[in-house]
Amino acid sequence: MPLFSSCNSVTSTAHPKAGTTVNSDFNADVDIQLKAVQSSINILSTINTDIYSYKGSLIKGDKQTLQQLEGSAIGPIIRVEKGDRVRIRFENEISEKSIIHWHGLHVSHENDGHPEYVIEKGETYIYEFEVMNRAGTYWFHPHPHGHTGEQVYKGLAGLFIVTDEEEKAFNLPTGDYDIPVIIQDRTFDENNQLVYLPNGRMDRMRGFLGNRILINGKMDNSLSLNKDGKYRLRLLNGSNSRAYKLAWNTGEPLTIFGVDGGLLESPKTLPYLILAPAQRVDVWLDLSKKSESEELKLIHLPIPLDNMMGGGMMGIENDSSLPYNSQFDILNINLRDSRKNDAQLPNRLSVSQALDPTDAANRTSPRTFNFGMEGMMKWTINGRTYNGMEVADDEIVKLNTTEVWRMNNGGKISTENQNNGRGMMGNKNGMMRNGRGMENMMQMPHPVHIHQLQFNIINRNTENVDRNLWNAVKDGFIDEGRQDSVYLLPGMYIDLVMRFADFKGLFLFHCHNLEHEDMGMMRNFKIE
Ligand SMILES: [Cu+2]
């Protein structure tokens, strides 16, 4: 039987009135009205820039729950506690369909922001969920199929910061010493307007790459911090497709103590960090040993990726984007008056968050998803693209089970181990994508995100990764802790262990290069 005829069409697993009404039985601790609006703000000098933005207002909750970032399209920052019951009234006031996805949160299908639940201008979608995640930096952004990239690019993205008792027991930096750093690349035209995909389809195949860096939606990439302060920098790569190789200009190592799904068991020091789109990390910054005269900045170090990102066969003309294989500034730290806080970074942080892969029924034959190209111009997962509520047989899992998923971008899989649990090769024509031949010339990194859960990385195979590229990035990955987004380099596969708990229904997994996602490099998986 041909593979494609085995796709089940799932009509809907949702409550028919999902998102349409305020449930009076849902006793919200936090109630927020969140409007997506069109507006214009002063990002560069003189002429305002047209943007999209989320405007929040607090209906119920502590006043620290909601923080708008003044003078920025980005935001707001929503701060909640684990266990809080949260209602968000999303009102769409932009002239295109939209829906919000709560990136990293463990919520039900109806609360996950599936593209099939987009609402029109003037409509409202009600989210009601309990915060089940542990403390960490989660975020939210639009998820309308085909338009996510442009809506995020124009300014729709905010942080959803969760705290819990475990985290509060540590003396980590709080308040003014707990600082969001949302990194995005943008391009403006001579009238200060945002430029998106000027080269059309070729730009879309690659993914948007800008020519300047914005921090928290602003051109001013500097933070004024207290000399002698100890800081928690919450980094989010909110860029559409760009990954960063982040390092301190001083050559000191980066100290990371949290990832997508919260605190690590212990802090980790790295010479540099690879931060792919959608990933978050907590960076420890102790300024007490700094002298005022010392220049301190976070920089991007060169990655030899340009020939895979617009060079070679892509042949993008008039490309003004910042080259991957160059060094540029990300964030300048300016030191102001000496002020101390008594925060500390302990050697032991969280209790282990590792799922046990021996619990996985398919441990020796991972469920394999191949991220690659179909034909020459279509990004696919196992040869398929997104199609509404459609889910294929090999995308259905059981509630209350643990599985190993192999996310493969042309990695070298040994022959005895290449079938997934359903005996599929994962490719329409039955060929393994082994990183050789024509496909190799069109391989690109894919930052892969799974909705609704936080997985552990148990294996990262790099045998087929170009050696020059691998040597430039190999010390910058964090495979510890719970994560929801991983960076799949060409020639790499990664084995993830995950558990399907609490909610049945359809959820998405996709490439978080937003242009690849919009082209259909996204599929449902169904928990039943
Ligand atoms: Cu991709």
Side-chain angles (χ1 to χ4, degrees), residues 445-446 511 513 516 521:
H446 298 295
C511 180
N513 176 326
H516 292 186
M521 199 177 215

Side-chain angles (χ1 to χ4, degrees), residues 400-417:
N400 296 322
T401 62
T402 300
E403 286 203 10
V404 176
W405 283 18
R406 175 165 294 169
M407 303 311 217
N408 181 28
N409 184 10
K412 187 176 185 182
I413 297 171
S414 62
T415 46
E416 68 271 19
N417 195 19

Side-chain angles (χ1 to χ4, degrees), residues 183 185 209-210 212-213 215 221 235 237 239 241-249 254 271-276 297-306 309 321-332 469 472-473 487:
I183 306 167
D185 57 341
L209 293 173
R212 51 174 61 174
I213 302 298
I215 296 294
N221 290 13
L235 269 50
N237 182 352
S239 308
S241 90
R242 185 184 289 276
Y244 300 93
K245 178 177 176 177
L246 299 174
W248 294 118
N249 67 314
L254 282 159
Y272 55 83
L273 170 78
I274 303 297
L275 194 68
K297 50 190 184 181
L298 206 53
I299 56 174
H300 167 85
L301 294 175
I303 314 177
L305 259 179
D306 295 306
M309 307 296 294
S321 64
L322 290 164
Y324 264 104
N325 209 12
S326 65
Q327 180 176 317
F328 50 84
D329 292 355
I330 301 287
L331 175 72
N332 295 301
L469 172 58
V473 298
Y487 194 44

Side-chain angles (χ1 to χ4, degrees), residues 93-284:
E93 294 188 359
I94 64 171
S95 53
E96 52 184 298
K97 293 173 186 173
S98 197
I99 191 74
I100 296 175
H101 168 55
W102 307 94
H103 187 119
L105 290 191
H106 182 56
V107 293
S108 69
H109 165 81
E110 293 84 348
N111 285 300
D112 193 53
H114 197 282
E116 297 306 302
Y117 294 147
V118 288
I119 56 169
E120 304 277 353
K121 183 176 185 176
E123 293 182 332
T124 300
Y125 194 98
I126 312 285
Y127 298 86
E128 291 174 332
F129 56 84
E130 182 185 330
V131 177
M132 297 172 78
N133 289 67
R134 56 198 289 262
T137 308
Y138 307 93
W139 64 301
F140 57 97
H141 59 77
H143 222 296
H145 183 54
H147 304 279
T148 297
E150 183 158 19
Q151 291 187 10
V152 172
Y153 185 67
K154 286 183 171 174
L156 294 178
L159 293 181
F160 192 92
I161 294 176
V162 177
T163 187
D164 64 9
E165 293 305 320
E166 183 193 41
E167 185 184 75
K168 281 193 268 185
F170 301 117
N171 188 17
L172 292 169
T174 56
D176 293 343
Y177 296 89
D178 178 352
I179 297 189
V181 178
I182 304 169
I183 306 167
Q184 296 173 309
D185 57 341
R186 295 288 182 264
T187 300
F188 295 89
D189 68 14
E190 62 278 14
N191 295 313
N192 294 356
Q193 301 309 305
L194 287 162
V195 176
Y196 185 60
L197 308 183
N199 301 297
R201 187 165 176 87
M202 292 315 281
D203 276 354
R204 203 171 262 268
M205 287 304 293
R206 177 183 71 174
F208 174 84
L209 293 173
N211 64 14
R212 51 174 61 174
I213 302 298
L214 269 61
I215 296 294
N216 295 335
K218 295 180 183 181
M219 280 305 302
D220 179 9
N221 290 13
S222 58
L223 290 175
S224 287
L225 304 183
N226 296 331
K227 183 176 144 24
D228 297 328
K230 292 169 181 168
Y231 286 89
R232 174 182 193 162
L233 303 183
R234 295 180 189 259
L235 269 50
L236 159 66
N237 182 352
S239 308
N240 280 38
S241 90
R242 185 184 289 276
Y244 300 93
K245 178 177 176 177
L246 299 174
W248 294 118
N249 67 314
T250 55
E252 291 163 81
L254 282 159
T255 302
I256 311 290
F257 62 98
V259 289
D260 296 342
L263 295 177
L264 294 170
E265 287 176 50
S266 52
K268 204 173 153 76
T269 55
L270 301 170
Y272 55 83
L273 170 78
I274 303 297
L275 194 68
Q279 290 186 315
R280 292 85 70 202
V281 287
D282 292 290
V283 175
W284 176 257

Side-chain angles (χ1 to χ4, degrees), residues 206 371 379 444-448 511-513 515-517 521:
R206 177 183 71 174
F371 289 74
W379 294 115
M444 249 181 230
H446 298 295
V448 171
C511 180
H512 219 285
N513 176 326
E515 287 70 40
H516 292 186
E517 173 186 340
M521 199 177 215

